[in-house]
Amino acid sequence: MHDVVDLTKALIAAPSITPARGAVFDVLAAALDPLGFEVERFVAGEAPDGPVENLLAVRKAGPGRHFAFAGHLDVVPPGEGWSSGAFTPEIRGDLLYGRGAVDMKGAIAAFTAALAQVPASGTVSLIITGDEEGPATFGTLALIDRMRERDLIPDLCLVGEPTSSARLGDTIKIGRRGSTVIDVVVVGQQGHVAYPHLADNPVPRLVRALAEIDAIVLDAGNDWFQPSNIEIIDLAVGNPATNVIPGKAAARISIRFNDGHRGDDLVARIAAIVHRHAPDARVDGRVFGEAFLTQPGLLSDTIGDAVAAQLGLRPELSTTGGTSDARFLSRICPVAEFGLVNATMHKLDEAVAIADLHDLTVIYADILKRIMN
């Protein structure tokens, strides 16, 4: 099954709400096996973030570069209101509909179809997880560990995320901002509003801390990244009464930051502000990914050349958008992201243009030829 449309349809037809396991990996493994790949599937982790199924496929065909393609087979829940079944692939007009069509089963199918068109050389690997849309604790990180154990670190890695914006080929991602979420809990003493001297209201202390945090300007951006931003995304007291001073107040803060910062440093900075206003407050920060940048060069130039050859345009190099598993892969080798148009990802009636699937297959095949020769 190396026709890109047929393979995309088969992957969509295997429901794979995150974390994905089972049938969807069967489909991909069956497509890779005839192409000479050694396919290893393994399950990592335990609840609550696991178990997660992962697939590492490797084909060694002599000396040369090790080029990796990374992606995910899990999808977000489809939601209600689809015009047809979310996991029943359907072609209507020029589009193929189904959850995962663009994010990112279509790209995985395109790369697999491209492999069937290019003579084997060097080492090619596919790094495919069933948990990118979820916590991502036991997905690509576990795959990286497995690759290190087998001494299979790539020279270059392409992630097939849907990076294109208005049309296929207009954008390559060469970096991503980092992400951290910080939970703050200020504890006081509950009491009657008429007797404030017998209580300790935590709300004013939390509000003062949040006001100072909200006033922070982290930076003005740089040549490759937009300015970092701090957003207060939740504020909760949970007090239904009209005559009770609450005993606890909580907030959640999200920070998206560029490569001028480190996640742990930002958590420490927020904690210091909170503790000035509320010394006994609890501050818990989780860094979901550090900012990274792959400097323009061989990888982005090769992708750009392949896009130009097929589509006649030169992609923009960008670092915008949310996080992806490239944040993990950037720790082991240069990485860039390039894939389908992202207009319908995570939406009802997610769909990919049939022509884009064919064009992406040609582009991926050209990238392979240029990188491996």
Side-chain angles (χ1 to χ4, degrees):
M1 187 182 293
H2 298 125
D3 175 80
V4 64
V5 176
D6 287 344
L7 182 52
T8 303
K9 290 169 67 176
L11 291 171
I12 291 171
S16 55
I17 295 172
T18 192
R21 294 179 64 182
V24 71
F25 285 94
D26 294 340
V27 173
L28 181 58
L32 291 172
D33 183 66
L35 299 177
F37 281 83
E38 174 191 341
V39 178
E40 177 187 6
R41 294 165 60 177
F42 65 95
V43 175
E46 299 178 350
D49 291 351
V52 171
E53 184 165 359
N54 300 298
L55 180 150
L56 177 61
V58 181
R59 183 179 69 190
K60 296 182 178 181
R65 287 195 180 98
H66 178 178
F67 183 69
F69 176 88
H72 61 91
L73 285 170
D74 62 316
V75 298
V76 296
E80 301 293 329
W82 283 67
S83 300
S84 57
F87 299 110
T88 304
E90 181 175 318
I91 294 176
R92 301 198 299 273
D94 298 328
L95 302 177
L96 169 60
Y97 290 81
R99 175 58 86 221
V102 296
D103 191 17
M104 56 173 288
K105 293 179 177 180
I108 292 173
F111 189 79
T112 304
L115 287 165
Q117 300 177 10
V118 178
S121 62
T123 299
V124 177
S125 61
L126 284 86
I127 307 165
I128 308 296
T129 182
D131 179 28
E132 191 269 351
E133 301 289 7
T137 304
F138 300 113
T140 297
L141 287 172
L143 281 157
I144 290 172
D145 288 342
R146 187 62 57 96
M147 294 168 73
R148 283 178 169 146
E149 290 170 3
R150 295 177 55 183
D151 194 24
L152 284 171
I153 301 303
D155 298 306
L156 301 167
C157 182
L158 169 63
V159 181
E161 286 288 347
T163 59
S164 300
S165 180
R167 59 171 294 189
L168 179 66
D170 62 12
T171 307
I172 300 169
K173 302 285 187 182
I174 60 168
R176 296 277 189 164
R177 294 197 298 171
S179 172
T180 183
V181 173
I182 304 167
D183 288 298
V184 178
V185 178
V186 179
V187 177
Q189 177 64 51
Q190 184 176 314
H192 197 292
V193 296
Y195 301 93
H197 59 288
L198 299 178
D200 177 18
N201 193 338
V203 175
R205 283 176 285 151
L206 178 59
V207 169
R208 287 192 291 269
L210 292 177
E212 184 175 343
I213 291 166
D214 188 57
I216 294 173
V217 177
L218 287 172
D219 56 68
N222 58 39
D223 289 344
W224 286 109
F225 287 93
Q226 66 193 84
S228 304
N229 62 297
I230 302 175
E231 302 298 333
I232 299 165
I233 59 174
D234 193 23
L235 182 61
V237 177
N239 181 12
T242 60
N243 59 354
V244 175
I245 293 172
K248 183 175 68 173
R252 176 167 289 169
I253 300 161
S254 178
I255 307 177
R256 294 298 172 99
F257 55 94
N258 60 38
D259 58 349
H261 306 274
R262 299 288 296 175
D264 287 342
D265 295 337
L266 292 169
V267 172
R269 182 173 178 179
I270 296 301
I273 293 172
V274 171
H275 289 145
R276 281 203 301 272
H277 295 276
D280 296 329
R282 186 172 75 247
V283 181
D284 297 312
R286 182 176 179 184
V287 179
F288 291 93
E290 298 290 352
F292 76 91
L293 176 69
T294 298
Q295 289 291 340
L298 173 62
L299 183 55
S300 56
D301 288 348
T302 301
I303 298 170
D305 290 344
V307 171
Q310 178 65 13
L311 302 176
L313 73 153
R314 199 78 198 179
E316 174 189 1
L317 303 183
S318 172
T319 64
T320 60
T323 58
S324 76
D325 277 3
R327 68 192 190 271
F328 304 130
L329 294 159
S330 65
R331 302 174 188 175
I332 62 171
C333 70
V335 60
E337 303 170 61
F338 175 71
L340 294 161
V341 177
N342 57 31
T344 62
M345 66 177 182
H346 293 201
K347 293 184 178 181
L348 297 179
D349 289 346
E350 179 180 350
V352 61
I354 300 296
D356 284 356
L357 285 175
H358 289 296
D359 282 338
L360 186 62
T361 301
V362 173
I363 292 167
Y364 280 167
D366 195 4
I367 293 169
L368 279 165
K369 292 174 186 175
R370 294 170 187 265
I371 289 289
M372 304 309 288
N373 292 332

